[in-house]
Amino acid sequence: MVFNSSDIGAFNDIWVFCEQRNGKLENTDFELISEGRKLADERGSKLIGVLLGHNVKDIAKELGGYGADKIIVCDDPALDVYTTDAYTKVLCDVAMDKKPEVILIGASNIGRDLGPRCAARLHTGLTADCTHLDIDMEKYVDFINTSSTLDLSKTKFKMEDINLKMTRPAFGGHLMATIICPRFRPCMSTVRPGVMKKAEFNQEMADRCEIEVYPVSISQEDIKTKVLDVVKEAKQIIDLIGAEVIVSVGRGIGKNVKEGIELANELAEAFGGGVVGGSRAVVDSGWLSADHQVGQTGKTVHPKVYVALGISGAIQHKAGMQDSELIIAVNKDATAPIFDCADYGITGDLFKVVPMMIEEITNAKV
Ligand code: FAD
């Protein structure tokens, strides 16, 4: 198989690696397929999902409902449970054969392991933990505006010079870096879960989606590790990404942590089925577990209502919540930066303000 990652003109199509666990697709798959659709339309290319696993063909069509033109299914007992070796080999085999221009992978634990391995093997670049993706059409627009001919063979401009712009926070979140991979293909990117918006499911698109079963070639010698058992953590992990209401607490609950978290729970409950999140300060202090953390190194959320209690609004916290539909902030410091992104700001002691909020919401329901 001839594969040269610098022969950029040989690469086409946008791919999304679709992650499944126990035969169930991950939410990130739908987000990335939805985003990939937009990029493919802009680029004028096809959007293709790649699904690895065992007995997973039946779940592939659903991905079409979010915009995939085709799903390549790699089915083998060796792909039943994720192993770095097996998944890297199979994904790279298919990529070397079909030469996609872009591969997007969710920045889950699996994606963060798989992406860099594949990038190294394919001899290309990867931008990790992206929060924004764009097609760089500037050169194309320049070409259209300035060239006297639209015949590409008569100009220096080549369609393959169009790059994927991959944006991610840099320098501790103080600035956003936009990165391109101009000399190698595929352009690879891992994308933070919860950042891209999931499109509405469309049954007609799902029916139209083509399924290609790709013959997998893998043997036990290719896999250096053996999964003996998968043990699920007994504790209940909080679903911040899917929540419609999030009440987050910050270091401001410090004078009575137990009461602060109880108040947040009650407020979340009063809104109707909300969940409690927290700043990194709260997680680092051990007041809430890491799955509650909102922000650059936590979860990116966009609920209908986000309440920030005693959170200062550091840039790294805002990076995870500023796209919420409605933001309410309570802080005793009127100059706290959280108020810059809040739709409603209440200056005061959260231990006094929150009971009043709960009472008002409860009364409004009666
Ligand atoms: P503080 O900044 O200490 O703010 C506490 C606030 O509570 C203050 O504004 C104070 O006025 C208010 N307050 C105090 N008492 C009361 C009261 N009784 N009633 C009302 N208000 C009160 N942070 C995150 O949150 N998420 C991340 O993912 C994240 N990732 C990071 C990644 C990097 C690389 C770095 C360098 C930092 C990251 N941080 C993250 C940390 C971030 O910079 C802040 O330190 C953190 O968000 C501060 O948390 P806080 O707002 O709870 O605490």
Side-chain angles (χ1 to χ4, degrees):
M1 193 184 300
V2 184
F3 182 78
N4 175 2
S5 60
S6 58
D7 178 16
I8 61 171
F11 291 75
N12 286 300
D13 301 333
I14 294 181
W15 280 19
V16 172
F17 167 74
C18 300
E19 185 180 327
Q20 55 78 30
R21 293 185 194 188
N22 299 319
K24 198 171 168 296
L25 294 164
E26 293 287 297
N27 219 10
T28 327
D29 300 338
F30 306 126
E31 294 166 9
L32 285 192
I33 291 281
S34 307
E35 180 67 17
R37 181 71 266 156
K38 283 192 247 160
L39 298 172
D41 286 344
E42 211 174 329
R43 178 75 179 94
S45 38
K46 276 196 176 158
L47 175 66
I48 297 177
V50 190
L51 180 64
L52 275 59
H54 185 42
N55 295 329
V56 289
K57 191 177 164 210
D58 290 349
I59 58 171
K61 276 262 172 196
E62 191 182 352
L63 294 158
Y66 295 91
D69 295 304
K70 177 160 99 175
I71 304 295
I72 298 174
V73 179
C74 301
D75 200 297
D76 193 277
L79 301 172
D80 192 18
V81 178
Y82 175 80
T83 59
T84 313
D85 296 323
Y87 272 58
T88 303
K89 175 167 192 313
V90 172
L91 187 57
C92 288
D93 281 353
V94 195
M96 286 181 185
D97 180 19
K98 299 204 174 254
K99 302 188 178 68
E101 191 175 26
V102 169
I103 304 182
L104 307 179
I105 300 178
S108 62
N109 291 345
I110 285 179
R112 284 169 202 242
D113 181 61
L114 178 67
R117 278 289 181 119
C118 291
R121 198 166 294 184
L122 297 170
H123 195 268
T124 187
L126 176 140
T127 307
D129 224 16
C130 292
T131 54
H132 190 81
L133 298 169
D134 254 328
I135 301 287
D136 184 3
M137 298 302 279
E138 243 170 68
K139 280 188 191 160
Y140 183 64
V141 172
D142 279 356
F143 159 68
I144 297 285
N145 288 340
T146 56
S147 177
S148 53
T149 170
L150 291 181
D151 182 350
L152 286 176
S153 64
K154 294 194 177 118
T155 74
K156 279 188 181 163
F157 173 80
K158 297 194 210 76
M159 281 309 274
E160 58 262 32
D161 289 336
I162 295 176
N163 281 295
L164 177 70
K165 293 204 285 186
M166 301 169 275
T167 303
R168 54 152 298 150
F171 295 102
H174 287 284
L175 57 87
M176 301 302 281
T178 298
I179 295 160
I180 57 168
C181 179
R183 290 190 295 120
F184 297 100
R185 295 288 183 266
C187 303
M188 292 190 66
S189 164
T190 57
V191 182
R192 296 198 74 183
V195 173
M196 304 302 176
K197 291 231 165 86
K198 179 171 142 184
E200 289 287 315
F201 177 80
N202 181 316
Q203 187 60 50
E204 268 177 43
M205 276 157 64
D207 294 341
R208 270 203 310 269
C209 177
E210 191 190 329
I211 306 291
E212 176 186 339
V213 178
Y214 189 90
V216 174
S217 150
I218 189 151
S219 68
Q220 275 313 315
E221 287 80 69
D222 295 318
I223 308 171
K224 294 178 202 72
T225 49
K226 193 171 179 185
V227 178
L228 299 178
D229 197 6
V230 179
V231 183
K232 282 205 176 149
E233 210 172 352
K235 74 169 186 176
Q236 221 187 343
I237 300 281
I238 187 121
D239 178 19
L240 279 182
I241 291 175
E244 295 206 333
V245 176
I246 298 175
V247 179
S248 282
V249 289
R251 214 190 318 253
I253 60 165
K255 78 174 178 199
N256 191 337
V257 173
K258 190 162 172 274
E259 189 190 339
I261 293 173
E262 268 168 22
L263 281 173
N265 262 312
E266 281 171 39
L267 184 58
E269 207 42 55
F271 272 115
V275 297
V276 172
S279 70
R280 177 155 151 185
V282 163
V283 171
D284 286 349
S285 305
W287 301 341
L288 286 174
S289 56
D291 51 313
H292 291 80
Q293 187 181 318
V294 173
Q296 186 193 317
T297 41
K299 307 256 166 60
T300 303
V301 296
H302 21 74
K304 289 195 171 139
V305 181
Y306 187 87
V307 188
L309 304 176
I311 293 178
S312 57
I315 189 163
Q316 297 91 352
H317 186 81
K318 283 184 183 164
M321 47 65 74
Q322 61 198 357
D323 289 335
S324 304
E325 281 181 36
L326 182 90
I327 298 172
I328 304 168
V330 181
N331 198 302
K332 66 180 187 185
D333 175 5
T335 66
I338 192 74
F339 289 129
D340 299 342
C341 69
D343 298 288
Y344 295 98
I346 304 166
T347 309
D349 182 345
L350 71 93
F351 291 96
K352 291 188 184 134
V353 175
V354 176
M356 289 192 264
M357 289 172 79
I358 295 168
E359 198 184 333
E360 284 296 321
I361 295 169
T362 313
N363 289 344
K365 281 188 193 161
V366 183

